[in-house]
Amino acid sequence: MVEASPGTEEAEDSAVLGGYRPELKRTLGSFQVFAISFAFISVAVGIFSTYDDVLQNAGPVGIWLWVVAAVGQVLVALVVAQLAGRIALSGSSYQWASRLANPKIGWGFGWLTFCYLAIGVAAIANALASQAFMPLFGMDPDEGTARLLTLAILLLQTVVVVASTRLVSLINSTAVGLELALVVLVALALAVVVLATGRGDLGNLTSRGVTEHTAHYFDVGGGLMVAMIMGLATLVGFDSAANLAEEAKDPFRSVPRAIVGSVVAAGVLGMVFLICLTVAIEDVPGVTASESPVAAIMREQLGSEMEKVLLAAIAIAFFGAGTVVMASCSRIVFAMARDGRFPAHRLMRRVNPRTHTPIPATILIFFVGVVLMVALPGDALLQLITASTIIPALVYGATIVLYLAVRRRLDRNKGAFDLGRFELPVAVCALVWTVASLFVLVSPSEALVPSLIVVGLVVAGGLFFAGLMLFNRQALETEPGTHLPSGTDRG
């Protein structure tokens, strides 16, 4: 490991890049790095998309499981931040595992992360089209129209990501600022209206709603456990800041702080938002039956105009989140390709000298989204998206195991994020939590097909891995960016 030292930007890059030729431009400040992780999490988007599942499966009382998920994910974020404070390279977990374990294990981390992010890009764009854009403009629900809009959104996001990391950051910071204001203002507005009019009920916070007499409510895979998925599906992606570490200023400090700060902020704001929403429900069965409970609550308490404002803000938050996910995924592809470990790696490693962005890698993510939208029927696409909630838990669990295995030989960068003597208990608790969250995600009967899809993605990656072992074994036997023959440039 190389210890970072204060000095010029060139000296910092030499320490950070560990043998790679710098190609990406450092343009991201501390807030912009935080905004990347917070936008990926996107509290408003996550709650907007999953609140109906909580009401239908666990009732309003299910919101309290958000606290459990938030505490658990903060523990995971603390461990991830420990690694981000030591190795600041595009590719995050792929780089950490490649350098701290071996390149073969690192490849597995990279493949799973690529699958998760590539699916996420299409999923967010499709949700933006069907759940925010179409209702905002009064368009009737139609899957065909939603998919066409999804393709248009993906194309626009591709143009933005290709054009400039600074532009991505500007759009994303604006979206995050708007989302923060939205969550705070809506929560305050609902609280004021409920107090002033008496329309609402504090009893909702302990109500099972329509699940009052449901059998197997407390069973493994039962309704209450399903409610945990809201937090697990929302409070992920905080490591996206690490995927853009080579474009961050002072990455050993800014990236770890962004990782932990984004989860803490999202956890607190999300809980406040959920409490205000739930207390503001007048008709629990009616809201539960609506297509969008959050929008229905807003409409009932604040009027239809406020509902439109909410949908507009949600649409912007969706777009910002999707843009960040696309940028993050393109960096994973770029990081693996410059080590010769991704299909068509000679093309995918290219960085445009004018925009300083990996254009071929970004266009690949766009085409993956196009294929998913065109080739998969509705049910299959939904199952694939559900499967993508399992993958980050696998990656986080493996990352924690990696950290526990190598922590004693890790150098400590001066001034970087460090848990000190608390690192071991935090890591052990984080591992226990991750195992528990995986159990929650795969235990419902509805999770069988998504779990099989994850297995299929692993097998598909395994086939390409086998091809590398047969035809390009050297790429899997050299630590990225180092121990290169004289005159070789992995950049």
Side-chain angles (χ1 to χ4, degrees), residues 47-63 65 131 204 207-218 221-230 274 278 281 283-294 296-297 382 446:
I47 292 176
F48 188 84
S49 302
T50 58
Y51 190 58
D52 57 338
D53 291 328
V54 174
L55 295 180
Q56 291 164 14
N57 291 286
V61 71
I63 66 168
L65 289 175
Q131 298 183 35
N204 291 340
S207 169
R208 285 178 51 179
V210 299
T211 70
E212 187 65 42
H213 302 293
T214 301
H216 311 296
Y217 180 80
F218 295 101
L224 186 62
M225 182 180 287
V226 170
M228 180 79 77
I229 295 176
M230 177 170 65
L274 284 169
T278 304
I281 299 176
D283 176 13
V284 173
V287 168
T288 302
S290 67
E291 291 187 3
S292 176
V294 176
I297 295 168
L382 180 61
E446 297 84 357

Side-chain angles (χ1 to χ4, degrees), residues 390-443:
I390 299 172
I391 298 176
L394 287 172
V395 173
Y396 290 148
T399 301
I400 296 167
V401 171
L402 170 70
Y403 180 77
L404 287 169
V406 304
R407 69 180 185 86
R408 291 186 180 278
R409 58 184 175 88
L410 289 177
D411 291 336
R412 302 182 185 276
N413 295 315
K414 184 178 180 180
F417 182 87
D418 190 0
L419 287 174
R421 67 178 183 273
F422 296 105
E423 63 175 351
L424 181 59
V426 167
V428 170
C429 290
L431 181 60
V432 171
W433 161 252
T434 305
V435 172
S437 64
L438 269 171
F439 179 73
V440 169
L441 289 168
V442 302
S443 59

Side-chain angles (χ1 to χ4, degrees), residues 279-354:
V279 170
I281 299 176
E282 291 186 87
D283 176 13
V284 173
V287 168
T288 302
S290 67
E291 291 187 3
S292 176
V294 176
I297 295 168
M298 295 284 292
R299 184 170 56 250
E300 290 176 1
Q301 294 286 11
L302 304 176
S304 59
E305 291 304 314
M306 193 61 188
E307 180 192 5
K308 293 292 185 182
V309 172
L310 169 69
L311 288 172
I314 289 290
I316 295 171
F318 264 121
F319 187 83
T323 303
V324 164
V325 178
M326 179 176 283
S328 185
C329 190
S330 70
R331 272 46 174 190
I332 278 283
V333 173
F334 162 74
M336 296 180 72
R338 70 179 170 183
D339 294 326
R341 299 173 187 165
F342 199 85
H345 64 88
R346 288 182 179 85
L347 175 63
M348 295 300 154
R349 69 189 287 181
R350 293 180 184 173
V351 174
N352 185 280
R354 186 176 63 83

